[in-house]
């Protein structure tokens, strides 16, 4: 005998606000709000709204917002930084939610997703994969409740020294007026993001993405920039929702690093967020098993807190298991091909060097 499934119902803004007000102590990420739904739709994405899940007695178990994502060879439904749990997140409860979500989207009208992607605390059927990892698994969280003096003392000596060095180097931090956000970002800050992405080896969004974020989610954002001699060195965008802030996006020039501008900028952000009533600030992802590339930013973020929070890993819930398995194999092959090509090229290059040196055996 199988356990009864949960009931899924869509939430309009009034229904969502009522749930949020009734559960003031439940952390709700900004990505799981109607405001984020508006942002996704402003980007031209097919946001599927926010859904509440209730047990047979009518008790709220969880809520989750979804966006429909279309990529080459596959469609998916993604819950960004969700779901949000109101009941105990036991393995049995999580399995029941996943089964309900699978039923919900398997025959959803108008779309044909291959899988649903969401955070899962206990890996079990029907969750698997994922085809690719989409959300960080560990982050640093800074407690903003101490006094400013105690907060500063809690940083590592390197951070405190770097803040003072930035001040001595003539770095100052400005709060950009909201009416100037889009103009300043497009003219001064997006080129810094491009420089940051090229230097650190990641692909940034187009400028329009950040400009849309600033326009649609402005009630929940702050844009701060570190300058020296009127030249922008480093910038950050923070989000705020229900007393919790997030250091969401940032960029820095090479000159920012030599002047220690990012340290002063983040310190001023903490002061501002604390004054605004926020009790904590998440610094987003750090290095983990599935995200070793975050090692560099981990070193920077660890200067501000020792508090590491584990975030449930993102997994896939296949809706078409056979097709999902085939697509997974195909994508693994595509990703492995460049690495194989590099190994072959290195081997051929080694043979050429060996022959040129007059060696009688092939290099391995």
């Amino acid at each position: 005998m199988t356990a009864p499934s949960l009931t899924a119902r869509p939430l309009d803004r009034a229904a969502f606000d009522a749930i949020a007000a009734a559960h003031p102590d439940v952390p709700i990420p900004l990505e799981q709000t109607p405001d984020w739904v508006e942002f996704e739709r402003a980007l031209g994405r097919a946001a599927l709204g926010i859904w509440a899940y209730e047990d047979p007695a009518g008790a709220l178990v969880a809520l989750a917002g979804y966006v429909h994502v279309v990529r080459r060879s596959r469609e998916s439904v993604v819950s960004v930084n969700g779901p949000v749990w109101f009941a105990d997140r036991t393995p049995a409860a999580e399995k029941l939610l996943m089964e309900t979500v699978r039923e919900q989207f398997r025959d959803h009208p108008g779309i044909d997703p291959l899988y649903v992607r969401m955070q899962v605390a206990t890996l079990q059927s029907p969750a698997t994969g994922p085809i690719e990892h989409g959300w960080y698994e560990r982050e640093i969280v800074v407690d903003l409740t101490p006094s400013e003096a105690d907060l500063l003392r809690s940083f590592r000596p390197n951070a405190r020294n770097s803040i003072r060095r930035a001040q001595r180097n003539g770095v100052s931090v400005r709060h950009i007026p909201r009416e100037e956000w889009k103009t300043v970002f497009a003219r001064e800050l997006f080129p810094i993001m491009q420089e940051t992405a090229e230097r650190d080896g990641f692909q940034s969004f187009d400028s329009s993405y950040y400009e849309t974020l600033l326009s649609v989610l402005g009630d929940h954002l702050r844009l701060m920039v570190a300058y020296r001699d009127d030249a922008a060195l480093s910038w950050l965008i923070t989000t705020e929702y229900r007393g919790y802030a997030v250091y969401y996006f940032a960029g820095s020039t090479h000159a920012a690093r030599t002047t220690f501008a990012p340290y002063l900028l983040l310190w001023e952000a903490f002061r501002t967020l604390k004054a605004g009533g926020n009790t904590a600030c998440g610094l987003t992802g750090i290095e983990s098993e599935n995200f070793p590339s975050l090692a560099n930013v981990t070193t920077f973020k660890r200067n501000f807190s020792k508090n590491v929070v584990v975030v449930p890993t993102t997994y896939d819930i296949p809706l078409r298991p056979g097709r999902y398995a085939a697509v997974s194999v195909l994508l693994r092959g595509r990703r492995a091909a460049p690495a194989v090509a590099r190994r072959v090229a290195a081997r051929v290059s080694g043979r050429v060097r060996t022959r040129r040196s007059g060696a009688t055996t092939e290099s391995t």
Side-chain angles (χ1 to χ4, degrees):
M1 181 176 180
T2 59
S5 63
L6 304 176
T7 299
R9 64 180 177 91
L11 300 176
D12 59 18
R13 182 176 289 271
F16 174 88
D17 289 344
I19 288 175
H23 300 84
D25 297 327
V26 175
I28 301 177
L30 182 59
E31 297 89 353
Q32 293 289 310
T33 67
D35 293 317
W36 194 267
V37 171
E38 290 184 9
F39 168 58
E40 293 281 6
R41 289 174 176 162
L43 291 172
R45 298 175 178 174
L48 303 178
I50 300 174
W51 295 72
Y53 297 90
E54 299 169 340
D55 67 18
L60 180 64
V61 173
L63 67 76
Y66 300 98
V67 61
H68 177 220
V69 178
V70 179
R71 295 181 179 177
R72 187 177 65 172
S73 78
R74 67 194 187 279
E75 298 180 28
S76 62
V77 171
V78 179
S79 183
V80 182
N81 200 13
V84 179
W85 281 82
F86 297 86
D88 290 339
R89 193 173 192 168
T90 65
E94 201 165 45
K95 182 176 180 64
L96 188 56
L97 176 62
M98 289 191 290
E99 295 285 2
T100 302
V101 168
R102 186 168 63 171
E103 293 174 9
Q104 176 184 355
F105 289 106
R106 182 178 282 156
D107 298 310
H108 194 284
I111 61 175
D112 184 25
L114 182 61
Y115 56 87
V116 177
R117 174 165 295 162
M118 60 169 46
Q119 291 170 337
V120 177
T122 302
L123 179 58
Q124 59 184 315
S125 177
T128 190
I131 285 178
E132 68 261 314
H133 294 280
W135 198 258
Y136 55 83
E137 300 162 329
R138 300 168 73 227
E139 72 166 330
I140 299 288
V141 176
V142 178
D143 180 8
L144 299 180
T145 58
S147 67
E148 282 192 12
D150 288 340
L151 179 59
L152 184 61
R153 276 193 291 269
S154 73
F155 299 164
R156 287 182 173 177
N158 179 63
R160 298 196 299 271
N161 292 335
S162 296
I163 291 168
R164 289 190 288 266
R165 294 177 75 173
Q167 293 169 329
R168 290 196 298 269
N169 285 327
V171 177
S172 62
V173 176
R174 302 179 193 173
H175 296 259
I176 306 302
R178 186 168 173 177
E179 63 272 15
E180 299 177 16
W181 282 359
K182 289 182 65 175
T183 301
V184 170
F185 188 89
R187 184 182 65 240
E188 300 182 47
L189 308 185
F190 184 64
I192 296 176
M193 173 55 86
Q194 291 176 303
E195 178 183 339
T196 304
E198 182 176 357
R199 180 186 65 231
D200 294 346
F202 67 90
Q203 184 174 359
S204 74
F205 296 106
D206 293 336
S207 184
S208 60
Y209 177 95
Y210 305 98
E211 293 172 41
T212 302
L213 180 91
L214 293 166
S215 297
V216 177
L217 294 174
D219 289 345
H220 301 289
L221 305 182
R222 297 180 193 267
L223 176 60
M224 301 173 63
V225 184
Y227 287 90
R228 187 177 70 166
D229 298 330
D230 289 326
L233 300 176
S234 182
W235 60 268
L236 60 78
I237 294 173
T238 60
T239 66
E240 297 169 65
Y241 187 69
R242 287 164 66 94
Y244 187 83
V246 178
Y247 169 61
Y248 216 89
F249 289 117
S252 63
T253 63
H254 176 72
R257 294 187 168 193
T258 60
T259 58
F260 302 92
Y263 289 90
L264 179 61
L265 179 60
L266 191 51
W267 166 235
E268 292 297 332
F270 290 151
R271 296 179 64 218
T272 300
L273 294 168
K274 175 180 171 61
N278 295 281
T279 59
C281 180
L283 301 188
T284 65
I286 61 171
E287 183 181 14
S288 65
E289 180 181 356
N290 293 312
F291 293 95
S293 61
L294 295 176
N296 289 338
V297 295
T298 300
T299 302
F300 173 69
K301 293 174 183 180
R302 283 189 182 277
N303 281 290
F304 299 96
S305 177
K306 299 177 182 178
N307 183 26
V308 177
V309 174
V310 177
V311 180
T313 298
T314 301
Y315 290 103
D316 297 340
I317 304 170
L319 306 183
R320 310 283 186 268
R323 201 168 114 228
Y324 178 90
V327 171
S328 296
V329 170
L330 173 65
L331 293 176
R332 282 198 299 271
R334 286 179 181 170
R335 291 167 187 153
V340 171
R342 286 193 296 270
R343 288 196 296 270
V344 170
R347 186 177 181 87
V348 170
S349 177
R351 289 176 176 176
V352 170
R353 286 196 300 270
T354 301
R355 288 168 181 162
R356 285 177 177 173
S357 68
T360 58
T361 59
E362 289 186 344
S363 170
T364 57

